[in-house]
Amino acid sequence: MPCWFEGPLAAFDTETTGVDVEQDRIVSAALVVQRVPGGVPEVMRWLVSPGVPVPEAASAIHGLTDDHLQRHGRWPAPVMEEVARALAEQSLRGTPLVVMNAPFDLTLLDRELKRHRNRSLAAYLSTSSLCVLDPRVLDKHLDRYRKGRRTLADLCAHYAVDLLDAHDAAADAVAALEVVRAVGRRFAARLEGLSPAELHTRQAVWYAAQARGLQAWFARNGSDETCDPAWPLRPELPAAA
């Protein structure tokens, strides 16, 4: 029986109006499914007219402008419903879901669902749980002493994975999926005995430790920036009094 990294994988990615998961919005999303390594992935894409202005700084990164989204994007409510149901379908099939920096994309999706559908992501997954593989968490744990950044582009360069159209949601999702396969192969001796579900549980622990380490680094350098240790989804902030 093949190891999980040689089996079916799905991957999810978004492009957004910014980096604040509580306030920013999704402008595009993609879910790709690859049944066998090297196979042509099945790609689902969504383009969203978010209902708020898209900052020029964000458009400069992903190329999606207000005008383009208003002309070609769909209203957020039906899109978020479709995305959540698509993720739930993969979960029911038992397909591991690759999400680079999962607490960002999954938390933002959760907030969009609450904003537009009055339902949480967990509500769509009531009969099954996502099994998430986060290439950044895996790489940082398995090769923790390697210096340098660990963005998707950096990981692609390190693992010799093509990133053909950076900051396109589908292209980023495909690249993240291939990075996870590459990580699995490189560290097979440490990973092949673990199921995706076991890895999901361990990544939550690893991510928390990584967040604590980063928090300590910030403190040593006089920064008051905080690092949320929750993975793969951040808890909702309490309502302001």
Side-chain angles (χ1 to χ4, degrees), residues 10-150:
F12 176 66
D13 189 71
T14 66
E15 297 300 328
T16 68
T17 60
V19 297
D20 184 340
V21 295
E22 303 297 339
Q23 301 297 329
D24 280 307
R25 309 298 176 89
I26 293 172
V27 296
S28 71
L31 176 66
V32 303
V33 181
Q34 189 183 54
R35 302 296 177 192
V36 295
V40 177
E42 306 161 22
V43 180
M44 288 168 273
R45 301 173 183 265
W46 294 271
L47 194 64
V48 186
S49 180
V52 299
V54 180
E56 291 184 5
S59 295
I61 293 172
H62 49 58
L64 299 172
T65 63
D66 269 327
D67 180 67
H68 181 80
L69 292 169
Q70 288 171 16
R71 288 174 180 269
H72 303 287
R74 297 167 57 204
W75 291 114
V79 171
M80 301 311 152
E81 177 82 9
E82 290 174 16
V83 171
R85 290 186 179 279
L87 295 187
E89 180 182 350
Q90 295 307 314
S91 179
L92 281 171
R93 291 182 177 182
T95 307
L97 181 69
V98 174
V99 190
M100 174 73 184
N101 191 18
F104 178 78
D105 292 86
L106 294 182
T107 303
L108 191 54
L109 174 60
D110 177 74
R111 304 309 191 255
E112 287 278 58
L113 287 166
K114 290 174 179 176
R115 183 178 293 121
H116 296 291
R117 305 299 301 180
N118 199 30
R119 295 183 71 190
S120 67
L121 178 58
Y124 289 87
L125 303 167
S126 58
T127 58
S128 63
S129 298
L130 285 177
C131 182
V132 178
L133 300 171
D134 189 328
R136 187 171 181 272
V137 176
L138 292 170
D139 173 73
K140 196 169 184 179
H141 177 78
L142 295 164
D143 197 0
R144 67 182 68 184
Y145 300 113
R146 188 178 81 250
K147 295 185 181 298
R149 302 189 312 162
R150 298 177 196 249

